[in-house]
Amino acid sequence: MNQQLETEPLAGLNQAQREAVLHFEGPMLVLAGAGSGKTRVLTTRIARLVEHHGVDPARILAVTFTNKAAGEMRDRIARLVGHEPKGMWCGTFHAIGARLLRSHAAAVGRAPNFTIYDEDDNIAVIKRVMEAAGISTKAWSAKAVASLISDAKNALVTPAEYASLALDPVSRNASVVYRNLEQALRTANAVTFDDLLTLPVELLTSDEGLRRRMSERFQFILVDEYQDTNRAQYRLIKLLGGEHSNVVVVGDDDQSIYGWRGADIRNILDFEREFPDARVVRLEENYRSTPNILEV
């Protein structure tokens, strides 16, 4: 066991931070605002799972909202435990979704080398679908249609459900495009950025065996910035962690900065309903923890 993990990092934590770090199994909601030391809590917690509890890093899934944050988290953990956490999945929701889809592409009608469309690619394919359906791209903005479909996907609203709810002309046209878009993407062996969330949810929902295998692999799941998750991201975590409930989420219940991505604050408000046995810890804001040499 790394003795530094038992001394310096824990010694620099306040009571609430220590409670979050020392918690082992079971769900936990950590409410943490800016300056509360949540990043240190997450990294120290993962290091403790590996060093103190002997958890194989390959059984840990850590989810962040940016690639930079994921890289920094992995580096901090490596410094804490003294080696690279080999096998641990640490990345953004979209990166993790892409990794899962690459391994099971055929199940969603793709080849493993599928292309991930950026915003321009997405608008271009939507224009083609609109033209094929006889919808004027001059009368109706392809960008606006793309935005409506993106919102629907992130909320896990299916094309059929969306069509039933479409009341205004632009929504009705968007529903036609949404219905035809999947086949166009399959033909191109491509996915949109939103599909990196929705297709894994579809895959894990339809394949119970795969869901159980993935849940068994990821025995410990940690999610940062949980208040910024949308319904698809929430569902993905529920599918992966519902079997064992070793899910720890960290979020600020006072804000949601990515509302334009479909962030749903209900995800953090409903966590205790989804996980009735969840421990709730609130970190102190503007807390300045004692520095330690492993985080310099």
Side-chain angles (χ1 to χ4, degrees), residues 12-26:
L13 303 179
N14 63 23
Q15 183 176 349
Q17 290 173 324
R18 287 176 65 90
E19 182 180 354
V21 168
L22 295 176
H23 174 76
F24 180 35
E25 294 181 313

Side-chain angles (χ1 to χ4, degrees), residues 1 12 33 39 41 53 66 90 99 111 143 154 173 186 196 248 259 283 290 292:
M1 182 185 301
T39 301
V41 165
H53 295 289
T66 67
C90 180
R99 187 171 179 176
K143 187 173 182 179
N154 284 319
N173 281 306
R186 288 192 180 206
L196 296 178
V248 173
L283 303 186
T290 304
N292 71 78

Side-chain angles (χ1 to χ4, degrees), residues 3 25 30 50 63 108 112 133 141 176-177 195 227 242 250 278 288 294:
Q3 294 302 312
E25 294 181 313
V30 180
V50 174
V63 189
V108 292
S141 164
V176 174
V177 178
D195 290 332
Q227 79 280 350
V250 179
R288 294 295 180 262
L294 298 175

Side-chain angles (χ1 to χ4, degrees), residues 126-137:
I126 283 177
K127 282 183 178 179
R128 292 196 295 272
V129 173
M130 290 174 69
E131 290 166 354
I135 300 172
S136 172
T137 57

Side-chain angles (χ1 to χ4, degrees), residues 173-191:
N173 281 306
S175 72
V176 174
V177 178
Y178 190 13
R179 184 183 65 217
N180 298 333
L181 181 59
E182 172 62 13
Q183 185 55 55
L185 291 169
R186 288 192 180 206
T187 300
N189 190 34
V191 300

